[in-house]
Every structure is written in C-alpha cells, then in structure tokens.
C-alpha cells in the first residue's frame, strides 16, 4: 500500500510547528493540517482584548534552537497575544514550515486500517490522506465551550466567544455589554472592555482568585542576563514541578508564624504572577494552609473594591489554586467603575438569553453585545470532535466514555501509531506549556526514529501499561486539593463530561524521568511490530 505521508500532524500551534520541524529533520515526510488561516494555535484564536500569557515571556518560548532563543526580543514581562502570534509566525518563516502546512482545513475523521497498518485521515475539504502515523497537536484548551443556555440563538446583537474572537477586533465604544464568566479570559478582558463600553454587566457564577501581573516593559539588562544564562535557566526549569521557576518556599504555611505568612504573601502579591501559589509548599495539600492564602487575597479584594457588597460577592469561597489561578491587570479595581455592574448568579442559573439580553432570578438585563468568556471543553474536547477509530472499529469516544485513558498522556491502547502532544494524563496544563510541548515532541520524534530503526511499522501502548498509568495519574491527583473542586481540570464545566482529574500532577521532573525510563527499557509498555 502506498502511503501519502509518513505522518499527519493535526494542528499548527506551537506543538504542531515543532513536530513538523523534528519530523523533517529525521527525514520523515509530513503534512500538517490546520483549521485556521495561520499558525499559532491558541494564540491564533484567542484574540480577545487583554489576552496575554500568564507565564513570563522569557520562559514561554521555544528552547530547541539556541540561535532562535538569542535573536528573538520580547518586549514585556508578560507577552501579549499579538506579540506571541508574531513569534509563532517568525518561527514558521525561519524554519520554512508553511510549505508543509495545509491551512483552512479541519480533520474530521481518522480511521486505522488494521490490514495495512495505516491511518486514513479525512478532512472537511474532502481530502483522504493515508499516513503511517497521526500526531494530534490540538492544544489542551482549544475547543470553545458554548454553554447550552436556552435562547442563545435568539440574541439579536453580536455574540463573541473569547476563545474564537473576530480577527478584526471588536470596538465596544458606546455599547452596553454583558459578559458571562469570570475565568482567566474574562479577568484579562473585563478591565479593557470596561474602558471602552458604555456599560458592562458581568455575570459571575463562581468568584475567582487573581493575582496582579505587575506587567512592565522588559529591562534590557535583565534580558541580556537571561540570554547569557538561557541554557542553565532552561535546564533548571526542568527540575521544577511546573517547569517554571516560581521560587517555591519549602516551608509549611500552617507551621509558619502569622507575621511570616503575611510577609510571604505580601511579597509575592507585590512581585505578581503565578508564584503566589509557591508562597508555601503545602498550599495545595492542606486545607488550613490554603485558607491562610485565600484569606490574604480575600482581604485584598476588600481593600481594593469600595462597595462592601460588591467586594463580598467578588470574594471567592473555594480553595485557592484549585481552579487555575488567574493573573490580571486592574481586575478588582474595575468593579469600582460606575459603568460596571456585577451580577452574582452563584445560586441561580441563567434562565434564558432573550433577544435583547438575559434573564436570571426573574430579572431581565439588557445589553447590545454578549461576550461568552465560558472557557473550553479542556484536554479531551478537541480530540473527541474528530471521529477517531482504532483497532476493531472502536472509537476514541467509546474508549474514553468514562474519562480519558492514555499511556503517559501520549498514546492510547487500541490506537496504534496515534500520538497526542500534551494529552490527558501528562503534566501539560499544570506546567509551562512550551517546554512540555517540546519534551513530548522530542519523545515522539525519537520514538518514530526508533520504530524505523527496528524495521517496524507499528507501535502501540499495551493495555496493562495504560491501566497502570491511568491508576498512577488518579492516585497522584487524589493527594492534592486540586482535584476537589468543579474545575475544567476535572471536566466539571461541561455537562455530562466524566469527572476525572485529567492532567498528571506528579510534576515535570518525575514525568520526564518516567518517559526516559520507558525508552531506556526498550519502549517498556509498548508493543512494536
Ligand atoms: P474558564 O476558566 O473555564 O472560565 C469560564 C467561566 O465561564 C467560569 O467563570 C465559568 O463559571 C463560567 N461559565 C461557564 N458556563 C457558564 C454558564 N452556563 N453560566 C454561567 N457561567 C458560566 O475559561 P477561561 O477563562 O477561558 O480560561 C480557561 C483556561 O485557559 C485558564 O484556566 C487557563 O489555563 C487558560 N487561559 C490562560 C490565560 C493566560 O495565559 N493568561 C488566559 C486565558 C485562559 P464556573 O467557574 O462556575 O464554571
């Protein structure tokens, strides 16, 4: 049987781009299929006002090419979406990636042919491509969640989803705007929309924690220092649980004196960013410790937000860091503006969207534009949108009916030669995504080369190895407070989704060690044939 490509890669975000580069380097023929008109993945789609990465720009970048690392200049501590997209385009140009990317094409189906050991990949443009390997580089947060609120289609004004924002941008000047959601996307965009809109009404189901970004232009001396030490910095980052240096303080919060706790939290609040959760080592292990950090942030909200009723409604009641911590610029203070109203809907769901607004608790709200900052069907949504069938015609949907099952978050038993970059069961979203992506891409590239070197054509995870890994992922999750709330980590934001903690929480170093051990033992847990 003649195949069209050694590999089809689905998605041209940071994962798909680097995968293509590695495949080419190994002499494999590859085609990347991408739904958008350009590269960049999450940074191509999420163009809402204020979109930025919450990992510092010098760390949120590729490290596979030292020259690229040296030549690229980030302008701010936290890069904006346009700057990150520019970087993605620079990488695509620099490595001449576009000639192997088919844009504006969505993969609709992938079917494994057991007799010929090839995948048939089909697209919405009618392509039928035969490939030995399929590599899903779909991103973890790329399938937007549009909530099933009655009447949504009846709204007469424009509706925007933060995860699928119009390329030409949206000007809210003189408009009244309703926003549903208070996750990271909302927390970044609300302060900017509030500056433009005549009036902004925020519908909050769950109050969220956010830490100031204290974003600023990068000091050239600091950039020089980073560049001079990039190798060591990257190497060290891989020895840290989240793959980022968050300056973890190994002390326990409950065992520290009140004064020391305050000092730590204040110092990290003033420094800004995700490192707040590294104030003490037990914030996600011990309820009491967690409460000290949560109380500190609640206190800050009370200080910043002038109306005590609004401040009380904005104060989160759940565990800090259980849902992903947010990083903001001026979020709490935005609620002091006369043109911003908070509507607390924690006890009552939105009844319906009406042609001119929405109804909740029997009360009607009206606005010109509706913004859905309602997140994503995380980690599994994008893969399950594709009709994937493996051995014996079993679909991935069937296999994952009780939650995702993978070996190392990379492969699935029953689905030979199919790989997922940063799939469920890998550290992915709990880490700096860029190094995690690179680690997966390198692992897959080396694996394909090893399969070829053995004169083999098929590699498949064994069921027992997969079961053991799924058990380990679940066990690790059970040890932390992170699995205890209704977050997208457990699929709780999507009605009917099985409730399983999806990412691997054992930390990047342990995970990398495990991936390397599997290789060292001749691809332990895989059958190669
Ligand atoms: P999200 O965190 O899932 O937030 C969605 C929001 O919509 C939540 O407040 C949710 O309320 C609300 N919601 C959903 N359905 C609703 C309904 N039917 N009625 C009322 N409210 C509803 O989504 P996100 O803000 O897009 O962020 C997702 C993830 O993307 C983040 O956690 C982060 O990992 C990543 N992200 C990163 C950045 C960054 O790097 N700075 C920026 C944006 C996003 P509940 O909480 O009650 O479900």
């Amino acid at each position: 049987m003649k195949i069209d490509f050694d590999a089809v890669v689905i998605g041209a975000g940071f994962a798909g781009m680097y995968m293509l580069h590695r495949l080419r380097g190994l002499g494999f023929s590859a085609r990347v299929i991408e739904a958008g008109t350009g590269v960049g993945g999450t940074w191509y789609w999420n163009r809402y006002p204020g979109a930025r990465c919450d990992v510092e720009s010098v760390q949120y970048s590729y490290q596979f090419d030292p020259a690229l690392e040296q030549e690229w200049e980030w302008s701010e501590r936290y890069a904006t979406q346009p700057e990150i997209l520019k970087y993605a385009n620079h990488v695509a140009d620099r490595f001449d990636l576009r000639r192997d990317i088919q844009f504006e094409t969505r993969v609709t189906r992938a079917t494994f042919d057991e007799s010929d050991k090839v995948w048939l990949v089909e697209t919405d443009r009618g392509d039928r491509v035969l490939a030995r390997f399929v590599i899903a580089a779909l991103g973890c947060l790329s399938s937007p969640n549009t909530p099933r609120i009655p009447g949504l289609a009846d709204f007469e004004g424009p509706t925007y989803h933060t995860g699928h924002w119009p390329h030409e941008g949206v000007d809210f000047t003189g408009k009244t705007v309703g926003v549903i959601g208070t996750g990271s996307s909302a927390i970044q965009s609300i302060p900017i929309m509030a500056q433009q809109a005549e009036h902004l009404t925020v519908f909050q189901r769950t109050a969220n924690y956010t830490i100031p970004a204290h974003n600023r232009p990068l000091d050239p001396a600091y950039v020089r220092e980073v560049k001079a030490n990039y190798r060591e910095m990257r190497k060290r980052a891989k020895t840290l649980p989240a793959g980022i240096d968050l300056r973890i303080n190994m002390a326990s919060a409950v065992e520290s004196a009140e004064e020391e706790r305050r000092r730590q939290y204040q110092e990290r609040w003033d420094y800004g960013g995700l490192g707040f959760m590294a104030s003490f080592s037990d914030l996600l292990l011990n309820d009491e410790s967690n409460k000290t950090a949560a109380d500190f942030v609640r206190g800050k909200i009370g200080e910043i937000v002038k109306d005590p009723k609004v401040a009380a409604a904005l104060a989160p009641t759940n565990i800090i860091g259980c849902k992903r911590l947010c990083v903001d610029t001026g979020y709490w203070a935005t609620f002091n503006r006369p043109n911003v109203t908070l509507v607390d809907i924690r006890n009552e769901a939105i009844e319906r969207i009406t042609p001119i607004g929405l109804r909740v608790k029997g009360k009607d709200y009206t606005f010109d534009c509706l913004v859905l900052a309602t997140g994503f069907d995380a980690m599994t949504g994008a893969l399950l949108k594709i009709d994937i069938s493996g051995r014996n015609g079993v679909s991935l949907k069937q296999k994952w009916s009780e939650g995702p099952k993978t070996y190392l978050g990379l492969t699935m038993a029953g689905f030979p030669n199919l790989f997922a970059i940063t799939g469920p069961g890998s550290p992915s979203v709990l880490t700096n995504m860029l190094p995690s992506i690179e680690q997966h891409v390198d692992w897959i590239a080396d694996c394909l080369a090893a399969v070829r070197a053995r004169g083999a054509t098929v590699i498949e995870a064994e069921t027992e190895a997969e079961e053991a890994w799924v058990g380990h992922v679940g066990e690790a999750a059970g040890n932390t407070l992170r699995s205890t709330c209704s977050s997208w980590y457990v699929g709780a934001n999507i009605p009917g989704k099985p409730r399983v903690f999806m990412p691997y929480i054992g930390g990047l170093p342990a995970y990398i060690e495990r991936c390397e051990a599997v290789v060292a033992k001749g691809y332990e847990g895989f059958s190669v044939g």
Side-chain angles (χ1 to χ4, degrees), residues 42-51 81 144 158-172 177-179 185 189-190 193 196 369-373 376:
T42 201
W43 303 105
Y44 171 91
W45 298 105
N46 287 265
R47 298 173 188 239
Y48 60 82
Q81 172 272 329
T159 301
Y160 307 104
H161 194 293
T162 46
H164 202 155
W165 202 259
H167 285 205
E168 61 280 12
V170 181
D171 183 4
F172 291 111
V177 183
V179 182
S185 305
S189 55
I190 282 169
M193 292 192 286
Q196 287 178 1
C369 317
L370 174 60
V371 174
L372 300 174
F376 302 90

Side-chain angles (χ1 to χ4, degrees), residues 42-43 46 48 50-55 60 141 145-149 161-163 180-188 203-208 274 318 323-327 345 349-350 372-376 378 429 486-489 492-493:
T42 201
W43 303 105
N46 287 265
Y48 60 82
R52 273 178 202 281
C53 189
D54 56 10
V55 172
Y60 190 81
L141 294 152
N145 166 39
T146 299
R148 291 178 217 148
I149 304 173
H161 194 293
T162 46
I180 300 178
T182 49
S184 289
S185 305
I187 282 175
Q188 287 188 330
F203 298 91
Q204 172 191 272
R205 185 165 72 181
T206 309
N208 221 332
L274 296 172
N318 51 1
K323 291 191 180 202
R324 161 116 181 178
L325 190 67
C326 304
V327 176
I345 56 168
I350 295 169
L372 300 174
T374 46
F376 302 90
V429 291
S486 301
S487 66
W488 58 256
Y489 292 131
N493 61 331

Side-chain angles (χ1 to χ4, degrees), residues 307-328:
D307 181 335
K309 272 201 196 129
V310 177
L314 283 170
T317 51
N318 51 1
I319 283 166
I320 184 167
C322 190
K323 291 191 180 202
R324 161 116 181 178
L325 190 67
C326 304
V327 176
D328 73 284

Side-chain angles (χ1 to χ4, degrees), residues 64 135 267 335 375 437 477 529:
F64 68 84
I135 302 163
E267 194 240 295
F335 291 90
I437 283 171

Side-chain angles (χ1 to χ4, degrees), residues 481-494:
L481 297 174
R482 219 161 196 165
S483 57
T484 58
C485 65
S486 301
S487 66
W488 58 256
Y489 292 131
V490 297
N493 61 331
I494 305 295

Side-chain angles (χ1 to χ4, degrees), residues 240-308:
L240 301 165
I244 327 176
D245 190 356
L246 297 173
R247 300 181 297 122
I248 304 171
N249 171 19
M250 292 315 292
S252 148
V254 270
E255 286 168 17
S256 299
E258 167 64 26
E259 202 180 315
E260 166 56 9
R261 279 203 294 264
R262 241 207 113 69
R263 196 195 62 73
Q264 271 290 342
Y265 293 142
Q266 186 64 49
E267 194 240 295
R268 284 169 190 263
W269 179 271
D270 294 340
Y271 183 78
L274 296 172
F276 185 84
M277 285 310 292
S279 301
F280 294 96
S281 62
D282 58 351
L283 294 186
L284 285 169
L285 298 174
N286 178 322
D287 268 318
E288 256 184 86
S289 292
N290 190 280
K291 189 171 174 302
T292 64
D295 282 345
F296 178 88
V297 178
R298 286 190 278 258
K300 288 290 178 195
I301 300 168
E303 283 168 26
I304 300 167
V305 180
K306 293 193 180 116
D307 181 335

